[in-house]
Amino acid sequence: MTNKTTVNEDPFQYIKVSEDEDDANAVEIPCELDGTLLLSTLVAQFPGACGLKYRHRETKTIRGIRLSDGKLHPPSEAGWGKLLYICVFPKENKRKMEDVSPENSAAKTKRLEKKLTCSDLICLGLPWKSTEESIKQYFEQFGEVVMVQLKKDKNGVFKGFGFVRFATYASQMRALAQRHNIDGRWVDVRIPNSKEGVVPQMPCKVFVGRCTEDMTAEDLCEYFSRFGEVTDVFVPRPFRAFGFVTFLDPEVAQSLCGEDHVIKGASVSVSSAAPKIKGKSNQNWKEEPYGSNNWDGNRPGPAGGGKGNGNSNNIDTLNMQNLGINPNGGPPPNFNLPISLVAAALNQAGWGGFLGGQGNAGPNNWQGGPPQGSSGKNWNGNQNWGQNGPPPAWNQGSNPNWNGGKNGNWNQGNWPSGQSWGGNSGGGSASSGGGWNNKSQT
DNA sequence: GTTGAGCGTT
């Protein structure tokens, strides 16, 4: 008798995922054909999950799985293998360390809960055929959705926009940190104007002091990933005995402040990364450590590498920009408005809030403007992407020369023709096709 | 039934 091994015919690889390190609770989840695992697939089995981690065989430490564009990427060339992967949840993974005084952490958490409330998010440009159900379904890949409201006129005709609310701040952050394509339309998801300035502004970045010279950005990333998704690590080279770690969730960042941690046998201290205000020297920040105007994504990342540094194709850069953080660690662009300067400086230091107030680009626009060399006139105007949106892969790999020339086109949907947004153009030169402006939406 | 920048009665 021949054994029918239907399993082998399944083109999808399955990976074992559990809520904890107990194999018994594991669920096998199918990957995509390209080897990535969709976050939505994960969420389908583990509602509210925001990522994956695993215990490294040799180092015995927990490692985070890279998340990019809603896809989870296998640890290395080796692929997912037979390891057990552990689900990461926004809240639950918050405090696993025991090296904190309880009263301290409790008080801190309480404060944070008060500050880090979700707000409704406005979704602009929804497809006419959207339903509250379909929108809810779409956004559930970022976390639990507690409300969806599609706005209609008195006749009950859908007006093309609506509001969504997440259960957790982390989910909200994830949703804000991405561009959204729903049924072929680019949908703008933002903090509503009415909530600007009301939403909490929390630093996502922490200062890590007393680093030793052998601590690489990767070391820090690996270590701190156990507390939450790390979106950036910055370790100055030459050695300066400190570093910065940026988390997706500002709450995680805050919860770590004031703590000491042992990394590679050395005790490091975590504290808040004080915002750098331009014109005022700051204890934690040296101005323009890598030269100015490095906003093109083509520069080599800061020495030390690590997440967000030289990594192509990740959401982190996008996250950071959407969250108002300069992914390259360089200086903020030249805003015209002083308030923007301050905001940009705050953002650079990891204040992943939303630039409220008139004339300031919200998170979605932050990514949109010409980084430099522009008058700033359009840069400060809201909603410049419109339906022509940023190139789908503008943040991936070596970016096209979005500093070069044609700045005036950025806000008008007139993308240079022949520009490739595929994310793999070698160093900014344009190849062909893929014109973002070719996309038509109805 | 049409449409595509905007900002929610409750």
Side-chain angles (χ1 to χ4, degrees), chain A residues 23 125 232 385:
Chain A
D23 244 353
D232 187 44
W385 288 118

Side-chain angles (χ1 to χ4, degrees), chain A residues 36-51:
Chain A
T36 63
L37 171 64
L38 294 180
L39 183 59
S40 50
T41 306
L42 180 68
V43 170
Q45 299 302 324
F46 296 92
C50 61

Side-chain angles (χ1 to χ4, degrees), chain A residues 36 42 45 51 59 63 141 150 163 203 273 298 308 313 321 343 395 416:
Chain A
T36 63
L42 180 68
Q45 299 302 324
T59 64
R63 285 199 177 180
Q141 65 183 295
L150 299 191
F163 295 86
N298 284 326
N313 187 25
Q321 296 209 0
N395 66 324

Side-chain angles (χ1 to χ4, degrees), chain A residues 212-325:
Chain A
T212 53
E213 195 156 11
D214 64 332
M215 285 179 200
T216 65
E218 277 186 345
D219 292 329
L220 296 187
C221 180
E222 180 183 319
Y223 178 81
F224 284 106
S225 288
R226 73 190 62 183
F227 303 107
E229 187 174 340
V230 172
T231 59
D232 187 44
V233 177
F234 180 77
V235 175
R237 293 286 186 239
F239 173 62
R240 291 218 272 152
F242 67 84
F244 289 101
V245 175
T246 308
F247 294 91
L248 174 64
D249 185 351
E251 190 173 346
V252 173
Q254 286 315 284
S255 71
L256 292 169
C257 285
E259 297 180 1
D260 287 340
H261 290 261
V262 177
I263 305 175
K264 286 189 153 181
S267 165
V268 301
S269 78
V270 181
S271 57
S272 63
K276 181 191 69 140
I277 307 294
K278 188 155 181 148
K280 184 180 170 193
S281 74
N282 185 284
Q283 66 274 29
N284 285 345
W285 193 273
K286 183 169 189 300
E287 189 129 2
E288 304 186 4
Y290 292 96
S292 55
N293 301 330
N294 285 318
W295 279 74
D296 58 1
N298 284 326
R299 62 185 278 279
K307 200 163 184 182
N309 297 338
N311 259 356
S312 64
N313 187 25
N314 66 43
I315 195 178
D316 305 319
T317 310
L318 188 55
N319 275 341
M320 285 183 286
Q321 296 209 0
N322 275 326
L323 299 177
I325 300 160

Side-chain angles (χ1 to χ4, degrees), chain A residues 126-256:
Chain A
L126 292 168
W128 300 120
K129 59 179 173 183
S130 301
T131 64
E132 296 188 340
E133 252 322 296
S134 71
I135 296 306
K136 177 161 190 269
Q137 212 169 33
Y138 171 81
F139 282 108
E140 270 170 349
Q141 65 183 295
F142 305 101
E144 187 190 345
V145 174
V146 296
M147 186 273 309
V148 171
Q149 258 185 8
L150 299 191
K151 289 299 164 190
K152 302 166 183 170
D153 64 16
K154 29 191 123 151
N155 302 322
V157 181
F158 178 40
K159 294 206 277 187
F161 76 97
F163 295 86
V164 59
R165 190 185 186 96
F166 287 97
T168 68
Y169 190 72
S171 309
Q172 169 170 324
M173 283 317 215
R174 273 191 295 280
L176 282 168
Q178 280 203 9
R179 294 171 54 247
H180 300 273
N181 192 304
I182 305 179
D183 277 329
R185 283 189 59 85
W186 290 109
V187 175
D188 286 337
V189 177
R190 310 190 190 137
I191 298 284
N193 292 161
S194 55
K195 295 283 168 56
E196 271 182 353
V198 181
V199 287
Q201 298 194 5
M202 296 286 293
C204 300
K205 184 185 283 187
V206 296
F207 175 83
V208 183
R210 298 198 307 265
C211 290
T212 53
E213 195 156 11
D214 64 332
M215 285 179 200
T216 65
E218 277 186 345
D219 292 329
L220 296 187
C221 180
E222 180 183 319
Y223 178 81
F224 284 106
S225 288
R226 73 190 62 183
F227 303 107
E229 187 174 340
V230 172
T231 59
D232 187 44
V233 177
F234 180 77
V235 175
R237 293 286 186 239
F239 173 62
R240 291 218 272 152
F242 67 84
F244 289 101
V245 175
T246 308
F247 294 91
L248 174 64
D249 185 351
E251 190 173 346
V252 173
Q254 286 315 284
S255 71
L256 292 169

